[in-house]
Amino acid sequence: MSSTTPTTTTTKLQAIYTAPHQQSQTFTQPIAAPLPATSPSASTDPAHIQTKITYLAELRKQVPALQNEINIFLTEKMEEDKRAADGQLSEKEAKEEANYGEEVVDEEEDA
């Protein structure tokens, strides 16, 4: 006699960050609770209702974890962008830096 074991598909909560000229980043949090069946006849079954409650509780727990992971990544990205921007001087700042300590007469001033 053969027995079949129901296969449980692991579900996951996933978000993907993409930006131009950058590699995409995927964030994933596993959801340990099984995904509830979607059949209309199961909607009143107490076991099905409990499965839904368990799944939604697990989902609710994983959403803040995923948000935290994304926030850490985005904060690091913002800090990288800020460091990159700090390394680049505007044209005016570069001219001021080149002429530092020298008296510069504006061409617009008439003597």
Side-chain angles (χ1 to χ4, degrees), residues 26-68:
T26 301
F27 306 93
T28 305
Q29 289 293 322
I31 300 175
L35 187 62
T38 57
S39 66
S41 62
S43 64
T44 58
D45 178 25
H48 177 72
I49 293 170
Q50 186 57 46
T51 302
K52 265 187 175 177
I53 290 170
T54 303
Y55 179 80
L56 292 174
E58 179 74 17
L59 182 62
R60 182 174 286 161
K61 184 174 84 171
Q62 295 301 342
V63 167
L66 185 69
Q67 287 175 323
N68 186 47

Side-chain angles (χ1 to χ4, degrees), residues 71-83:
N71 287 341
I72 290 169
F73 173 78
L74 291 177
T75 300
E76 289 172 0
K77 278 292 196 193
M78 288 181 356
E79 289 174 359
E80 286 175 14
D81 290 347
K82 184 177 178 184
R83 283 192 299 272

Side-chain angles (χ1 to χ4, degrees), residues 91-108:
E91 185 177 324
K92 181 180 176 185
E93 290 171 331
K95 187 175 180 181
E96 289 174 358
E97 187 70 28
N99 294 326
Y100 182 76
E102 298 178 16
E103 184 177 334
V104 178
V105 178
D106 288 335
E107 295 175 2
E108 296 176 5

